[in-house]
Amino acid sequence: MRVIHTDEIIQNISEMCIEANMYLPQDVEQAMQHAGENERSPLGRQILSQLGENMQIAAAEQIPVCQDTGMAVVFLNIGQDLHIEGMALEDAVNEGIRRGYRQGYLRKSVVKDPLLRENTKDNTPGILHYQIVPGSQLELTVAPKGFGSENMSRIYMLKPADGIEGVKEAVLDAVEKAGPNACPPMVIGVGIGGDFEKSAVMAKQALTRDIGQHSDIPYVRELETELLDKINALGIGPGGLGGTVTALGVNILTYPTHIAGLPVAVNICCHVARHVKRVL
């Protein structure tokens, strides 16, 4: 059985928090460049150019791409043949977040209690999602999520009879209501199926899939393409000031569900679609 010490996990999580906030993933950069080439509104092209310049400055100066450095969301795929030594895994991940946000001088945005609102001053705890998988590796995905776009996300508990058209209406409704508040151009993560909380986790996880990497399920792949076209036809545009590029991509995940339900979660992300993956 392979052994890994939590010191290695702490170090990697710390580095990933900094990397995710200062350098956008290559897929997002390419999507932004493509958007600039295809946006038909002069103002929209100007905004996209400014956003691109902001990304370049952030990387060159090693400062955050956005002042909202997010709540740290971490997905852990843990090989069942892997043994973890050291402190408790959850404590190790949070220690990595703590070090990353302090060492990277990233904004601390987490409050200890949702109503009392006292800041924890180190951006912990993070939001952790675990999955046990075959093998002896540990796959980490760090995806800091800002709350301008997070606040625009929604869950719809549809009836089975609503079908695929109901799903389309739900996604478009969420995007229309988000409007300029989600800092478009957006990336849209959609979770269909499961139950209330499973659909929401899938929608968040869908945002960590590279833009342009479509589902392997034919009808889902077609739905992603159709929804992207319909969202971009809404006219919200870059910065919400009108244009033909409202979204960079639509990523959908599905899961079996109950005969009586059709949960649909829509997790909206701004153009700063941060995600970093490492395999230990």
Side-chain angles (χ1 to χ4, degrees):
M1 178 172 286
R2 180 167 173 259
V3 176
I4 187 172
H5 198 278
T6 51
D7 286 349
E8 186 176 352
I9 297 171
I10 292 169
Q11 181 64 31
N12 276 274
I13 292 290
S14 173
E15 294 170 354
M16 293 166 77
C17 286
I18 296 172
E19 179 183 345
N21 274 291
M22 296 185 183
Y23 310 96
L24 286 191
Q26 187 175 13
D27 66 295
V28 179
E29 286 192 19
Q30 291 175 344
M32 288 289 288
Q33 182 178 354
H34 183 71
E37 295 169 354
N38 288 276
E39 174 57 61
R40 293 200 289 270
S41 162
L43 179 57
R45 287 196 299 272
Q46 180 182 350
I47 293 170
L48 289 168
S49 176
Q50 291 171 341
L51 295 177
E53 183 180 358
N54 175 68
M55 289 188 291
Q56 293 174 358
I57 293 172
E61 300 292 334
Q62 292 197 356
I63 54 178
V65 175
C66 176
Q67 53 87 21
D68 184 353
T69 54
M71 196 166 189
V73 180
V74 183
F75 292 91
L76 301 98
N77 287 343
I78 307 167
Q80 64 185 21
D81 298 321
L82 178 67
H83 177 64
I84 299 172
E85 289 186 342
M87 65 172 69
L89 179 57
E90 186 165 338
D91 291 342
V93 173
N94 279 314
E95 178 60 24
I97 294 169
R98 181 178 295 109
R99 293 186 190 182
Y101 274 75
R102 284 179 174 169
Q103 293 170 4
Y105 300 99
L106 306 175
R107 195 182 82 181
K108 321 305 188 292
S109 303
V110 175
V111 294
K112 189 179 300 183
D113 183 279
L115 297 179
L116 300 181
R117 314 300 291 181
E118 178 188 356
N119 199 296
T120 64
K121 297 181 173 61
D122 59 10
N123 221 59
T124 67
I127 305 295
L128 280 56
H129 301 288
Y130 300 95
Q131 186 172 355
I132 304 299
V133 298
S136 59
Q137 294 180 323
L138 173 62
E139 181 183 88
L140 301 172
T141 301
V142 173
K145 187 66 162 62
F147 263 60
S149 59
E150 186 75 356
N151 286 337
M152 298 296 104
S153 303
R154 296 173 180 270
I155 290 183
Y156 301 82
M157 301 304 290
L158 303 181
K159 301 183 295 293
D162 292 326
I164 196 166
E165 293 304 318
V167 171
K168 296 175 189 176
E169 290 176 12
V171 175
L172 291 173
D173 177 68
V175 174
E176 282 190 287
K177 287 178 177 174
N181 296 318
C183 298
M186 317 168 198
V187 181
I188 315 297
V190 182
I192 306 172
D195 58 2
F196 182 84
E197 78 275 8
K198 177 66 176 178
S199 64
V201 173
M202 286 193 296
K204 178 64 62 64
Q205 190 170 17
L207 292 174
T208 68
R209 193 175 78 207
D210 286 353
I211 297 171
Q213 185 182 65
H214 290 290
S215 171
D216 294 330
I217 305 171
Y219 89 85
V220 176
R221 184 166 58 247
E222 293 173 5
L223 183 58
E224 289 172 338
T225 302
E226 180 182 350
L227 281 172
L228 181 60
D229 290 342
K230 289 186 174 181
I231 289 169
N232 285 333
L234 293 174
I236 296 170
L241 297 175
T244 55
V245 180
T246 295
L248 301 174
V250 177
N251 291 349
I252 299 174
L253 291 177
T254 63
Y255 195 81
T257 191
H258 191 279
I259 57 172
L262 180 55
V264 178
V266 183
N267 197 254
I268 296 178
C269 188
C270 63
H271 67 280
V272 185
R274 296 167 285 203
H275 54 274
V276 175
K277 294 184 181 181
R278 291 187 183 182
V279 178
L280 307 184

